Amino acid sequence: MKCSACKSSNAIYFRKNEGVALCGSCLIGNLEDKVRRAISKYAMLKPSDRVAVAVSGGKDSLSLLKILSRLTARFPDCELVAVMVDEGIRGYRDRALSAAKAFSEGLGIPWAMTSFRQLYGTDLDEMAASRPGSNPCSYCAILRRNALNRLAGELGADKLALAHNLDDEAQTFILNLIQGGPERAARASSPITPHRPGLVPRIKPLSGIPEMEIALYAHLNGIPISSSACPYGRGALRNDVRAALNLLELRHPGIKHSIIKSARYWGELAQCASRAGAKSCGICGGPSSGDICKACAIAEETRRRGIAVGRPVSPRAGPRPTQARSPPSADAGP
Ligand code: SF4
Ligand code: ZN
């Protein structure tokens, strides 16, 4: 089958929901163009933004770093810095972060790193051991989000870019509907979070791109794809939701896009509502929907279990992160 775009090369991928076949080079161009259009449509970036890109070492975050480095190349005042969090998962995250550092350096992008140990005085392996039978993802995700926000804040970032893809977003929306309620489902669905005190606005440039296309993009660009998975898994319910959505997509191509379209509509409504209800955490001063933010609540609980934890601090007053190089200066290019 020939590529529907260039009409000359052999297609390597068929995008069922659009009825379009693409060769490798047209897939790369098409995917980057989709991301560029999403950034523009949702006003995710300004030409002079300092963008902290959350990099875990997986194919999605490394692809995001590559795409943003290409898209921002013609904006000399836009700066990228790769931000990393070491949760303390022995044999897994340490290896992924080594690959992430090397990849960032290969692109000429500075990186900065912090860790659960540095911020909370303990790591995920210890926390999981102290909570037998718990799902580590439930507290890991909250602490990781908090750590990324603090690191991005310390670096003076204007935006924090996350590599959530279409599959992640659709799964999270359904999971939140099941477990967190419609308000949380709507809040998490927006491709850009609103400005709130203590919260670096989060953008999700890949949220309209299926995981399969990002995997192909990574492969075609020689981006390392790790085969190792987190030893804690991603939770039984998420796995079931993923399997159900994949089956639905197979039978009804485009259904994940439809879910995200509805989710974004809800997200817009939720943004209006959340502006009225924004609060600050009584312990760390960071953004919170209650009197104490979730990261501080987890730290308090961990302290009660007898594991020493560092006192949570506000996003711009915390300990300096470990850095490979100095934070980018205001006049440095990406
Ligand atoms: Fe953390 Fe769960 Fe992701 Fe592992 S799979 S890194 S425990 S959120
Ligand atoms: Zn082509």
Side-chain angles (χ1 to χ4, degrees):
M1 192 189 298
K2 289 288 176 200
C3 172
S4 319
C6 66
K7 320 271 188 225
S8 57
S9 303
N10 287 331
I12 59 155
Y13 176 67
F14 184 63
R15 191 181 281 151
K16 252 185 172 178
N17 61 311
E18 292 177 8
V20 166
L22 293 167
C23 70
S25 100
C26 289
L27 175 66
I28 291 173
N30 179 280
L31 196 146
E32 289 179 354
D33 197 48
K34 275 194 169 184
V35 175
R36 187 188 54 74
R37 278 186 277 132
I39 289 172
S40 163
K41 178 176 177 183
Y42 295 104
M44 291 187 203
L45 293 179
K46 292 193 189 128
S48 58
D49 272 348
R50 176 178 288 179
V51 188
V53 186
V55 173
S56 65
K59 66 180 186 323
D60 296 331
S61 60
L62 297 184
S63 295
L64 176 62
L65 198 61
K66 174 108 185 168
I67 293 169
L68 289 181
S69 76
R70 283 192 178 162
L71 295 183
T72 59
R74 53 198 185 93
F75 299 105
D77 292 331
C78 183
E79 299 171 60
L80 300 180
V81 55
V83 289
M84 306 172 195
V85 176
D86 185 355
E87 299 95 339
I89 306 172
R90 266 177 291 281
Y92 169 65
R93 188 61 89 208
D94 37 5
R95 282 189 210 157
L97 289 177
S98 298
K101 287 175 205 166
F103 188 78
S104 307
E105 286 166 6
L107 291 175
I109 295 171
W111 56 266
M113 189 168 84
T114 188
S115 68
F116 280 12
R117 172 76 55 196
Q118 208 172 350
L119 294 175
Y120 311 119
T122 183
D123 62 28
L124 196 69
D125 285 339
E126 272 182 6
M127 293 178 86
S130 76
R131 293 166 154 87
S134 67
N135 172 15
C137 295
S138 60
Y139 36 92
C140 175
I142 292 165
L143 296 176
R144 179 178 166 77
R145 201 161 50 231
N146 179 273
L148 284 169
N149 184 55
R150 285 161 70 167
L151 181 52
E154 286 183 18
L155 292 167
D158 300 296
K159 303 280 164 51
L160 172 61
L162 305 176
H164 298 188
N165 60 43
L166 178 76
D167 295 61
D168 296 329
E169 290 289 281
Q171 289 160 22
T172 302
F173 181 66
I174 301 293
L175 278 170
N176 276 333
L177 282 182
I178 296 168
Q179 294 179 309
E183 204 188 318
R184 190 159 136 200
R187 253 201 332 262
S189 301
S190 177
I192 176 164
T193 55
H195 285 268
R196 282 172 59 186
L199 184 71
V200 178
R202 291 191 294 262
I203 60 170
K204 295 185 266 188
L206 301 185
S207 56
I209 312 288
E211 184 176 13
M212 166 63 88
E213 295 190 18
I214 296 172
L216 276 170
Y217 180 91
H219 174 71
L220 292 166
N221 279 289
I223 291 170
I225 300 178
S226 165
S227 55
S228 63
C230 175
Y232 299 114
R234 292 197 74 190
L237 184 55
R238 181 176 279 271
N239 285 338
D240 288 346
V241 168
R242 178 195 291 120
L245 286 176
N246 286 345
L247 181 66
L248 283 170
E249 183 70 34
L250 196 67
R251 294 190 179 165
H252 311 277
I255 206 161
K256 290 177 190 169
H257 283 284
S258 303
I259 290 171
I260 289 305
K261 204 169 155 198
S262 301
R264 283 185 179 161
Y265 178 68
W266 281 32
E268 280 166 25
L269 296 180
Q271 277 197 14
C272 302
S274 75
R275 272 179 215 124
K279 286 185 182 178
S280 293
C281 169
I283 295 179
C284 73
S288 174
S289 54
D291 293 338
I292 294 175
C293 76
K294 284 183 182 165
C296 285
I298 292 168
E300 285 294 315
E301 198 198 328
T302 303
R303 190 176 285 114
R304 281 201 299 275
R305 285 169 191 267
I307 293 178
V309 292
R311 179 168 171 73
V313 289
S314 65
R316 285 181 188 265
R320 297 300 303 168
T322 307
Q323 283 177 272
R325 308 185 201 169
S326 311
S329 63
D331 53 1

